[in-house]
Amino acid sequence: VDAPDAGEEIKLHGVETFDLPPGLAKEYKFNVYAYREGHGLARLVFTNPKTEEYLTMEVDFKFVAPEKVGQIKFNTTCRQLAVHPIAIMNPLPSPVTFKCEASNPDIRFSPPDFAVPPNSEGSLDVVFRPILAGSGTATVRLVSKELGDYPYTVSYSIKPAGLEKAPIFKAPLGSETVQSFKFMHYARKPASYTAKVEAAPGHKGPVGDFVVESKAIQAAAAGDEPVEVAVDVRFVPSQLGEIRTLLVLNSPDGGDYKALLVGYTQPPQPQGPVTLQSGKAGEVEFTNPFEDASEFTLQVDNPSFIVGSRTIRVDGKKTTKIGLQFKSDKKQKGCLIITAPKVGTPWKYFLEGAP
């Protein structure tokens, strides 16, 4: 075999002896095998052992890379890790190094580059963690200088991810709380996410009780490890009991995330104390927690404290100031009690009067 750097990479095999009767022609068949693409020239010498006459023939070969040596199928879910092992045989008497390439950025290799010992079998894992749902195809290539290219066709079908884990929110009616929803960004490029709150499937609770506080949700490019991203969510309950909504994050580069937000509304909690100076006007800020405009009844349990009005009407989710006065020449304590027909437990503001 004549090839500049063929070495052990081209193999020929054929019978060494055969009979050929006088006056007849016969085809001589032999096998040729190349480990990588390139050119080769095979020289065949046919010798008559009795007369020592010989005939030389040359055959020129062009070895081309295969379209594919195997197919890989992935059926998985967004952001879930799928692994497909590949075994490679090295028939050469020297180690062989492979470089791994993939047309899909979500496909990686473990190890990234690997070597196979002489006359041994090596293996690596094709690791796939998809970012976006859908189906399609990709290519994987294992490239070796000695053994050539090993192309694989990859077909994949990706389902949307399930719900992410989210914190539990608890707040008294008329108050609020802020917590962070954290998720892992796996894409190997930066991404900008948009966020919105939707009605949870099977629930008809008030969507506006959860508000996304984070205005710009940016994620840096991930490396071998994902990047954690936090989104601040404010829970402002408008009714007692359990409230459920769905937080939805979207990014064309980072994918979609959904989390079930669950909030538990507790009865109104006492607040204060509010200090009032005798003879001077004071005030208490009160927020209507309900979505609709509502009427509230005001009263105090100590006549030394005077409230400006017995009833007030406040628009939904709006805050108003309630005027108060204290008239006494001694320190006293009292309580402002605010009631509404929708809630059995009143709001209480403890008052302290100073002369």
Side-chain angles (χ1 to χ4, degrees):
V1 177
D2 289 338
D5 56 349
E8 296 289 332
E9 298 160 18
I10 299 178
K11 300 291 185 181
L12 293 175
H13 177 71
V15 296
E16 295 184 356
T17 61
F18 64 92
D19 295 328
L20 181 62
L24 297 180
K26 182 177 182 178
E27 288 185 350
Y28 177 78
K29 296 182 179 180
F30 64 98
N31 297 321
V32 59
Y33 182 86
Y35 296 130
R36 62 184 175 89
E37 58 183 313
H39 288 84
L41 179 67
R43 184 176 295 106
L44 290 80
V45 181
F46 301 94
T47 303
N48 187 324
K50 291 183 179 180
T51 63
E52 296 187 350
E53 295 177 285
Y54 66 90
L55 175 66
T56 300
M57 302 187 69
E58 293 183 346
V59 182
D60 188 26
F61 293 98
K62 180 181 179 181
F63 304 106
V64 298
E67 292 184 2
K68 68 176 182 179
V69 296
Q71 186 166 3
I72 301 172
K73 294 184 178 181
F74 288 114
N75 291 288
T76 185
T77 304
C78 283
R79 298 186 291 277
Q80 296 300 309
L81 202 63
V83 179
H84 181 91
I86 292 180
I88 300 293
M89 182 66 191
N90 175 17
L92 303 181
S94 58
V96 172
T97 300
F98 285 89
K99 182 180 179 180
C100 307
E101 302 172 350
S103 64
N104 189 310
D106 297 335
I107 297 178
R108 306 175 192 178
F109 302 92
S110 179
D113 298 314
F114 75 108
V116 183
N119 301 308
S120 300
E121 184 179 78
S123 64
L124 86 160
D125 290 333
V126 181
V127 182
F128 186 41
R129 192 189 294 271
I131 302 300
L132 305 176
S135 58
T137 59
T139 57
V140 164
R141 301 180 70 87
L142 310 182
V143 182
S144 166
K145 179 182 178 181
E146 298 82 6
L147 297 183
D149 291 1
Y150 287 68
Y152 292 82
T153 299
V154 180
S155 59
Y156 55 84
S157 178
I158 313 303
K159 296 180 292 186
L163 294 177
E164 303 289 326
K165 185 178 180 180
I168 301 296
F169 295 78
K170 293 182 180 180
L173 188 64
S175 299
E176 59 185 44
T177 183
V178 177
Q179 294 202 62
S180 294
F181 164 67
K182 297 180 180 180
F183 67 96
M184 306 306 291
H185 170 77
Y186 289 94
R188 293 208 164 199
K189 55 182 176 180
S192 177
Y193 289 87
T194 60
K196 60 181 178 180
V197 178
E198 300 177 349
H203 295 269
K204 297 182 180 180
V207 175
D209 287 6
F210 290 94
V211 180
V212 178
E213 291 290 294
S214 301
K215 301 304 180 184
I217 306 172
Q218 305 290 336
D224 292 336
E225 297 296 330
V227 176
E228 185 178 76
V229 184
V231 180
D232 291 336
V233 178
R234 184 179 300 274
F235 177 49
V236 189
S238 63
Q239 64 184 35
L240 292 173
E242 181 182 291
I243 301 172
R244 295 191 173 208
T245 59
L246 197 65
L247 174 64
V248 180
L249 302 175
N250 302 105
S251 169
D253 299 318
D256 300 335
Y257 294 76
K258 294 183 179 181
L260 184 65
L261 302 179
V262 180
Y264 294 97
T265 309
Q266 302 162 329
Q269 300 294 309
Q271 301 182 52
V274 178
T275 302
L276 300 173
Q277 296 291 328
S278 179
K280 294 183 179 180
E283 60 186 25
V284 167
E285 285 192 350
F286 175 75
T287 300
N288 174 13
F290 308 120
E291 292 187 327
D292 301 325
S294 302
E295 191 171 277
F296 298 88
T297 301
L298 314 178
Q299 60 179 341
V300 289
D301 62 356
N302 185 331
S304 297
F305 295 92
I306 303 171
V307 63
S309 177
R310 292 297 179 181
T311 61
I312 57 172
R313 185 174 179 82
V314 185
D315 291 335
K317 299 287 187 177
K318 298 297 183 181
T319 299
T320 188
K321 295 180 179 180
I322 300 173
L324 292 168
Q325 282 189 336
F326 172 65
K327 292 184 178 182
S328 177
D329 56 358
K330 297 180 180 179
K331 285 186 177 181
Q332 296 195 44
K333 295 183 178 181
C335 183
L336 170 65
I337 303 171
I338 304 175
T339 58
K342 297 180 180 181
V343 184
T345 303
W347 287 267
K348 293 183 178 181
Y349 293 81
F350 292 118
L351 308 175
E352 289 187 354

